[in-house]
Amino acid sequence: MFKYLMRFIKALNANSHPGDIAHAVALGLLLALVPKGNLLWPFLFILAMFIRMNKGAFFLSFILFSFIVPFADVPVERFGNLVLSLPPLQPVFTQLYQTPFIGLTRFNNTMVAGSFTAGVLAYLPVYLLVRILLSVYRKKLQPLITNSKLYKLFTRIPLIKKITDMSGIGGMHL
Amino acid sequence: MKKVKKIKLPGLFKKKYTAKKYQKKILKKLFIPADRALVESLAVESKDKKGKPVYTFDAAKVQDSAQAKKLKKIAKEIKKQKSRLKVLDIIVAAACVAVLLFGITLFRNVIAHRLITGAFEGTFGAKCDIGLVDFNLFDTRFTMENLAQANRSKPMTNLFEVARLDVYFNLLELTRGKLVSENLEITGIRWGTDRTESGTLPPKQEKKYQKKKEQEDSKPNPVVAALSSEVKKIQSGISLDSGISAIQDKLDPVAFLEREKDSLLSPKIVEEITGSVPAMIDSWKDSSENAEKQVTTMVATAKNISKIDPRNIKTVEEIKRTITELDAAKKTMESTVSMAKDLSTKIESDRKQVLDLSSRAREAVAADSKRLTGLVNEIKTINLDTGKGIVGDIFRTFIVNTLGEYYPYLDRGLAMLGEMQASQKKEKKPTLKQKASVVDRLPGRNISFGDDSLPSLVFRNIALSAEDVKTGFTIGGSVQNLTNDADRLDKAVTASLGTTHGAMSEALEAVIDLRTGASDILDSDITAGGYTVSIPSAGVQGVPDVAGVLSTEGELRIAADRALSIQTAMTLGSAQLTVAPFKPAFIHTTYRNVLSRVNTIDFDVSVHISSSGSFDVDVSTGIDEVLYEALQDEIDRQIALLKEDIRKEVEKFINEQKQKYTSEITQFTAIYDRVKNADKEIRKYENVIDQKKAELENRIKDMAQEQIDKVKQEAQEQAEKAKKEAEEQAKKEIEKKAAPLKKDAEDRLKKLF
């Protein structure tokens, strides 16, 4: 957790592509939403591993969202039911359902369908939101923080200094 | 001012960039405003040959090493920014997946073999060998050949063998996590075949199995436990219940006496006699014989002395010598008499003791005789408890044993079928680890599209067909609609099975209804016959070994609450009931004869096992009544005979006791009599010597008198003659002459005495 946190903070304050973090957060949310115990989840997870993104942000968001998403299960399940009941998609679902191995994804489960669809739909907004927030942070917030006396005082604490040096974020104020 | 050391720019900033590339490769990759400002501050715009603007970075503008370091870091961060997809990783992963799939395809049968073997070994606790496993996913077929499951209790024997198992499954349903098979064919099933190698599990697996079994056994099925308990009870108590053992000791003469011996008086006193009297006999034997010998000798001497006729002794010297001999004999006589008298006195105390023992022995024997006779008279005939069934009990034992052996399988099978039912599945309690790591999610609902209402496990049609030429075993049948969700399939499982093996045959028509609300889980009609049954008595005395050919026809039902009921009519044809010899012999003989007349036994079996575990096994047969009547008559008759036997045995025992002590007493008495006789005998002759001596002394007196008389006579004759002569010569002169003679004669007489 600490390692992921360090990676994330380092990426925030470095010239890493904002998309790295935005994709990571969006994928973290998607994987947190989709229930495990089906072939879809490992498939998405493996897919995530092939996308170049900030792993720290990915795992952090995945862990944090995993605690939050169960509270959204009821609407997600209803949403899944709605998606699976959409008449225009019935032929597609039927075709998928009658195809060997697709069943292993449990796409016909309301929770799986709902969470996956919600995750996909939320992907772009989350992605954009993270990018905007990141841009704001880097342009406005970061200079304010790094130039603040409190921060400078804080970074002089030996333990903090050692941690920031180790993580490579020591130069963020420059 | 400190002189700045010449700073080397990172490679990224040494290149020349066109305006477009400067934007794309440098500025667009800088997201920290401060970093962007720094890079821009170093950039120097110039013109190329074509007059287009080009950008370079001026190392001289770098103010300090911190800036240089920062530039280096920025260059590194820019280089890290690559395309979104990791193409190389995808290729490698795809290759890995391909290899994995290839490996699975290649080793699918090995994996399946391992999984199946492990499952069987885990279930049966013994080795499982499988000749061939072929799991062909694309042909939707699973084939298994030469499966041999070892018997845990007999490692060199197989519990069963399956020559071939062929399943055609639905791949689509399989990928939905369902096993739906239209056809399942199992052929070549055999039981109890020999193994070439032991079926014992290796120690590691054995330990695992034991652990699993312990967990299973920790919550034993109450019915199984009750059945096991009943089996043990029946096995240990059947003979007592049947009453044979109870009467056995009572009617065995030897056992009868053995049991009473401890309470008898005579053995103790006889033991006392045999322990003390022989010692007395030994101590008196030599002395009594010596005394007898001495007395006999003395008596002979005395008799010889008594034969002496003093009249035959002519001389005084001879008489004197005889008297001297008599004096010597008298001394011997006196010592013999004294010795005999002494022995006679001493033996009296022992005799008194022996007489006391003898008297006590007589009294004890009389008391024992009276007691035993009384006990014999108390023996009454045995009234057999006709409520108990000897044969019924045997069959009850057989049924309970059979249930004890097979009910757990039935129970396990039904439990498995029940547990299989998806609708009845209980949610497992999550482990602590699971609780800690997983946030509960809603399970959601599974929605079917198109034609799909099948449960996750369906065998629409199972065809069983097996034939074993070696054993003559054939099995044929079919099972329909075997599923793990009967509610969803909405069909009950139906089974129709028929087997023949040798003379044996079984037929089963069963309906297994696991749907919610079904009144009976199992409703089956069973017909079986030709079973060569041998029910050993297991060494229990009085219980016959039963053999015959069993056939049955009945029904087995299991209600929704798992209460089981079996109603069946059974027949044991060609029945042979044999019983091992036991005592009393007459009961055995009677029993054997009665049993030998039984050829067929019909009995009805009714078994009810409630869901709570209580059970009732009722076996009723008319054969017991016939047996009891015959036995009772014979027992009454034989009891009378046996009482006589016991009486004789008692008499024999009493006589033996008498004989034992009488012999000792008699021997002692003989010795006593010998001593007493010796004393008595010697006393007879005690005065013989004195008498004889007196006779001899009288004889001497007589002889002296005779001499006197003779001398007197001669003197008289001489006197008369002298008188005559004196008369003739002179009376004075005769008188003068006679005086001296008279005087001389008188002197001589005096001298003589």
Side-chain angles (χ1 to χ4, degrees):
Chain A
M1 185 79 174
F2 183 74
K3 192 173 121 187
Y4 298 141
L5 189 66
M6 287 296 109
R7 278 189 188 180
F8 175 58
I9 293 169
K10 189 181 170 185
L12 272 181
N13 299 292
N15 286 298
S16 63
H17 196 287
D20 286 1
I21 294 171
H23 277 299
V25 174
L27 274 170
L29 174 65
L30 179 61
L31 278 164
L33 272 169
V34 175
K36 296 170 197 74
N38 54 72
L39 200 63
L40 185 65
W41 194 90
F43 175 76
L44 289 173
F45 184 82
I46 291 165
L47 187 73
M49 293 299 106
F50 295 128
I51 293 173
R52 190 166 277 116
M53 60 179 174
N54 184 272
K55 296 286 188 295
F58 171 72
F59 283 112
L60 268 180
S61 63
F62 171 66
I63 292 163
L64 291 174
F65 284 130
S66 292
F67 286 106
I68 297 163
V69 290
F71 297 107
D73 273 0
V74 174
V76 164
E77 199 274 338
R78 283 180 188 163
F79 180 61
N81 190 34
L82 184 73
V83 171
L84 292 171
S85 308
L86 282 173
L89 294 175
Q90 293 305 301
V92 180
F93 288 144
T94 305
Q95 187 61 45
L96 284 173
Y97 195 72
Q98 301 301 331
T99 308
F101 300 105
I102 298 296
L104 294 175
T105 62
R106 291 186 68 214
F107 79 93
N108 59 322
N109 181 277
T110 51
M111 271 303 294
V112 176
S115 57
F116 177 71
T117 316
V120 170
L121 290 178
Y123 195 95
L124 191 64
V126 170
Y127 175 80
L128 293 172
L129 183 69
V130 173
R131 285 204 69 153
I132 291 163
L133 288 173
L134 198 60
S135 176
V136 171
Y137 169 78
R138 283 174 171 171
K139 281 178 184 168
K140 309 283 183 189
L141 207 58
Q142 195 209 16
L144 278 176
I145 293 169
T146 51
N147 293 325
S148 71
K149 287 180 181 174
L150 189 71
Y151 176 77
K152 286 175 180 172
L153 201 70
F154 179 71
T155 51
R156 281 178 194 164
I157 297 168
L159 180 67
I160 303 299
K161 196 171 184 299
K162 199 170 182 180
I163 291 168
T164 51
D165 287 347
M166 274 169 66
S167 62
I169 58 174
M172 64 184 263
H173 58 282
L174 290 171
Chain B
M1 188 181 167
K2 195 180 174 184
K3 194 182 177 183
V4 180
K5 197 180 171 183
K6 194 181 178 182
I7 289 165
K8 278 178 78 177
L9 287 172
L12 188 73
F13 297 115
K14 285 179 182 173
K15 296 175 186 172
K16 276 183 185 177
Y17 294 95
T18 60
K20 197 179 172 184
K21 279 192 175 174
Y22 175 58
Q23 279 294 323
K24 191 184 171 187
K25 289 197 170 178
I26 304 295
L27 294 182
K28 275 193 174 179
K29 288 189 175 180
L30 293 171
F31 303 99
I32 305 293
D35 294 347
R36 191 184 173 98
L38 173 68
V39 172
E40 281 177 333
S41 69
L42 300 177
V44 178
E45 189 179 332
S46 57
K47 302 283 180 185
D48 63 2
K49 291 171 186 175
K50 292 177 182 174
K52 286 180 181 176
V54 287
Y55 293 88
T56 53
F57 296 93
D58 185 4
K61 287 183 179 179
V62 179
Q63 291 172 1
D64 52 22
S65 61
Q67 271 193 349
K69 199 175 173 183
K70 186 68 186 171
L71 275 174
K72 205 173 175 182
K73 194 182 170 193
I74 289 167
K76 199 175 172 185
E77 284 169 357
I78 289 170
K79 277 183 184 173
K80 269 189 179 177
Q81 292 177 30
K82 293 174 185 171
S83 64
R84 185 60 58 204
L85 282 175
K86 298 175 182 174
V87 180
L88 187 68
D89 287 7
I90 291 171
I91 293 166
V92 171
C96 287
V97 170
V99 168
L100 186 69
L101 288 174
F102 179 73
I104 289 172
T105 311
L106 199 65
F107 297 107
R108 68 188 190 282
N109 293 336
V110 176
I111 294 164
H113 188 283
R114 286 268 173 89
L115 289 173
I116 295 164
T117 306
F120 273 92
E121 289 181 349
T123 306
F124 295 101
K127 268 188 181 174
C128 174
D129 301 314
I130 303 173
L132 170 81
V133 175
D134 184 22
F135 182 59
N136 198 326
L137 195 66
F138 298 104
D139 285 348
T140 65
R141 185 180 180 183
F142 174 76
T143 307
M144 192 161 63
E145 287 180 1
N146 302 325
L147 183 147
Q149 173 59 54
N151 188 335
R152 183 171 170 75
S153 52
K154 293 174 187 171
M156 293 309 290
T157 311
N158 284 317
L159 194 64
F160 60 86
E161 271 189 84
V162 179
R164 186 177 174 85
L165 182 145
D166 219 355
V167 191
Y168 285 91
F169 54 85
N170 185 321
L171 181 63
L172 175 66
E173 298 294 351
L174 192 69
T175 60
R176 287 177 190 161
K178 299 175 182 180
L179 178 59
V180 177
S181 166
E182 293 298 324
N183 286 303
L184 165 66
E185 197 176 330
I186 305 170
T187 55
I189 303 168
R190 290 193 293 171
W191 287 270
T193 49
D194 291 333
R195 289 177 63 86
T196 50
E197 57 181 50
S198 173
T200 310
L201 288 175
K204 197 176 170 184
Q205 282 169 274
E206 176 64 25
K207 204 175 170 184
K208 207 185 280 179
Y209 177 79
Q210 287 288 357
K211 201 175 172 185
K212 186 184 162 194
K213 200 165 181 291
E214 274 168 23
Q215 282 172 349
E216 284 174 3
D217 292 348
S218 62
K219 287 180 183 174
N221 183 308
V223 179
V224 176
L227 280 169
S228 305
S229 157
E230 183 66 11
V231 168
K232 282 176 190 166
K233 187 183 158 194
I234 285 173
Q235 281 174 344
S236 63
I238 189 163
S239 66
L240 292 172
D241 287 349
S242 65
I244 291 169
S245 284
I247 58 173
Q248 182 173 301
D249 283 354
K250 204 173 174 185
L251 296 178
D252 182 352
V254 176
F256 178 90
L257 278 175
E258 283 299 321
R259 195 179 60 246
E260 294 298 329
K261 260 182 186 172
D262 286 346
S263 55
L264 293 178
L265 300 170
S266 56
K268 289 166 197 161
I269 190 73
V270 167
E271 195 181 336
E272 203 179 329
I273 289 171
T274 50
S276 59
V277 176
M280 291 182 194
I281 291 168
D282 288 345
S283 69
W284 283 107
K285 195 179 175 187
D286 291 344
S287 52
S288 67
E289 279 173 1
N290 285 339
E292 190 180 35
K293 205 182 281 178
Q294 219 169 318
V295 165
T296 307
T297 312
M298 201 60 235
V299 166
T301 307
K303 280 181 180 171
N304 288 336
I305 289 170
S306 65
K307 284 178 187 169
I308 296 170
D309 189 355
R311 288 173 297 183
N312 293 336
I313 301 171
K314 301 296 181 190
T315 64
V316 173
E317 286 72 23
E318 200 178 344
I319 289 172
K320 279 181 179 175
R321 195 170 61 246
T322 307
I323 285 172
T324 307
E325 285 173 3
L326 286 179
D327 285 341
K330 190 181 178 184
K331 277 181 186 173
T332 310
M333 176 62 85
E334 280 169 356
S335 69
T336 307
V337 167
S338 169
M339 180 269 295
K341 195 177 177 183
D342 186 43
L343 282 179
S344 179
T345 309
K346 282 179 182 171
I347 204 169
E348 279 302 330
S349 65
D350 283 352
R351 188 184 181 233
K352 197 178 173 186
Q353 196 182 338
V354 170
L355 282 176
D356 179 49
L357 285 169
S358 173
S359 166
R360 280 167 58 202
R362 271 197 304 279
E363 283 168 11
V365 165
D368 287 349
S369 177
K370 192 179 172 185
R371 176 182 158 74
L372 291 171
T373 309
L375 286 171
V376 171
N377 290 335
E378 276 176 19
I379 295 173
K380 292 172 185 170
T381 190
I382 301 138
N383 289 318
L384 293 171
D385 181 0
T386 50
K388 299 272 183 185
I390 298 173
V391 178
D393 276 350
I394 294 163
F395 283 109
R396 189 168 185 274
T397 309
F398 173 70
I399 298 294
V400 172
N401 262 321
T402 309
L403 274 174
E405 192 171 346
Y406 292 103
Y407 181 79
Y409 291 108
L410 179 67
D411 181 67
R412 200 181 293 174
L414 285 169
M416 278 169 71
L417 276 173
E419 282 166 15
M420 265 171 68
Q421 298 305 297
S423 57
Q424 292 171 23
K425 266 184 186 169
K426 290 177 185 173
E427 280 187 16
K428 283 182 182 175
K429 284 186 179 178
T431 61
L432 196 63
K433 195 179 173 185
Q434 283 171 328
K435 279 181 185 171
S437 63
V438 171
V439 179
D440 281 340
R441 303 289 304 269
L442 284 181
R445 288 166 288 166
N446 292 322
I447 293 173
S448 302
F449 299 95
D451 183 22
D452 175 50
S453 57
L454 291 175
S456 58
L457 182 72
V458 180
F459 290 98
R460 285 195 190 279
N461 189 22
I462 301 172
L464 284 168
S465 145
E467 185 177 4
D468 186 1
V469 180
K470 191 180 167 189
T471 58
F473 179 89
T474 59
I475 180 169
S478 61
V479 179
Q480 287 83 32
N481 305 318
L482 186 66
T483 178
N484 70 334
D485 194 345
D487 284 334
R488 192 164 186 183
L489 193 67
D490 198 23
K491 281 179 182 170
V493 181
T494 55
S496 175
L497 295 170
T499 61
T500 57
H501 37 110
M504 290 171 274
S505 64
E506 299 89 17
L508 169 81
E509 295 290 338
V511 176
I512 303 164
D513 196 346
L514 296 165
R515 286 176 290 183
T516 309
S519 57
D520 287 332
I521 294 175
L522 175 67
D523 185 359
S524 63
D525 293 326
I526 301 164
T527 309
Y531 286 94
T532 306
V533 172
S534 177
I535 312 170
S537 64
V540 183
Q541 273 193 342
V543 176
D545 297 326
V546 178
V549 180
L550 188 73
S551 58
T552 180
E553 193 174 339
E555 58 178 40
L556 188 155
R557 279 188 179 184
I558 297 175
D561 64 350
R562 291 286 181 88
L564 176 145
S565 74
I566 299 170
Q567 297 287 341
T568 180
M570 292 185 166
T571 302
L572 188 80
S574 308
Q576 286 184 324
L577 284 77
T578 52
V579 63
F582 62 82
K583 289 177 181 177
F586 86 91
I587 289 189
H588 170 253
T589 311
T590 309
Y591 193 29
R592 190 189 60 200
N593 293 340
V594 171
L595 290 176
S596 68
R597 293 199 288 269
V598 177
N599 295 320
T600 305
I601 303 171
D602 292 317
F603 56 103
D604 294 320
V605 177
S606 171
V607 179
H608 293 281
I609 300 175
S610 75
S611 53
S612 61
S614 63
F615 73 95
D616 176 41
V617 177
D618 182 50
V619 178
S620 57
T621 172
I623 193 73
D624 281 326
E625 204 176 325
V626 177
L627 274 177
Y628 274 118
E629 279 174 16
L631 271 172
Q632 187 66 62
D633 289 347
E634 190 63 21
I635 284 170
D636 290 346
R637 195 176 69 82
Q638 292 289 349
I639 287 286
L641 293 173
L642 263 169
K643 277 171 79 171
E644 195 52 42
D645 281 353
I646 292 174
R647 199 170 279 121
K648 280 177 188 169
E649 196 66 29
V650 166
E651 209 171 294
K652 187 182 160 193
F653 171 75
I654 294 294
N655 286 336
E656 276 173 8
Q657 295 300 101
K658 276 182 186 172
Q659 207 173 3
K660 275 182 190 169
Y661 82 83
T662 307
S663 159
E664 303 298 340
I665 299 291
T666 306
Q667 281 183 58
F668 183 81
T669 306
I671 288 169
Y672 175 80
D673 289 345
R674 192 187 291 155
V675 170
K676 283 292 171 186
N677 285 339
D679 185 35
K680 195 178 166 186
E681 190 71 14
I682 202 67
R683 279 172 191 274
K684 280 186 196 169
Y685 296 95
E686 191 180 6
N687 299 322
V688 169
I689 296 171
D690 286 339
Q691 283 172 3
K692 196 55 71 181
K693 190 177 174 183
E695 279 178 27
L696 287 170
E697 283 172 351
N698 287 338
R699 172 68 182 146
I700 288 170
K701 278 179 185 173
D702 289 346
M703 282 178 73
Q705 192 61 48
E706 280 173 10
Q707 281 295 322
I708 289 167
D709 290 346
K710 192 177 175 181
V711 169
K712 270 183 179 176
Q713 196 176 0
E714 281 175 8
Q716 201 172 358
E717 282 174 4
Q718 282 174 0
E720 282 178 1
K721 193 179 176 181
K723 195 178 175 181
K724 281 178 182 177
E725 285 174 1
E727 278 176 354
E728 290 174 359
Q729 289 173 7
K731 246 184 174 175
K732 284 185 179 178
E733 202 176 299
I734 296 166
E735 282 177 357
K736 275 182 184 176
K737 283 182 180 177
L741 283 170
K742 193 178 178 181
K743 197 181 176 183
D744 185 51
E746 283 171 357
D747 288 343
R748 283 178 72 180
L749 276 169
K750 280 177 185 175
K751 201 178 179 180
L752 186 63
F753 290 98

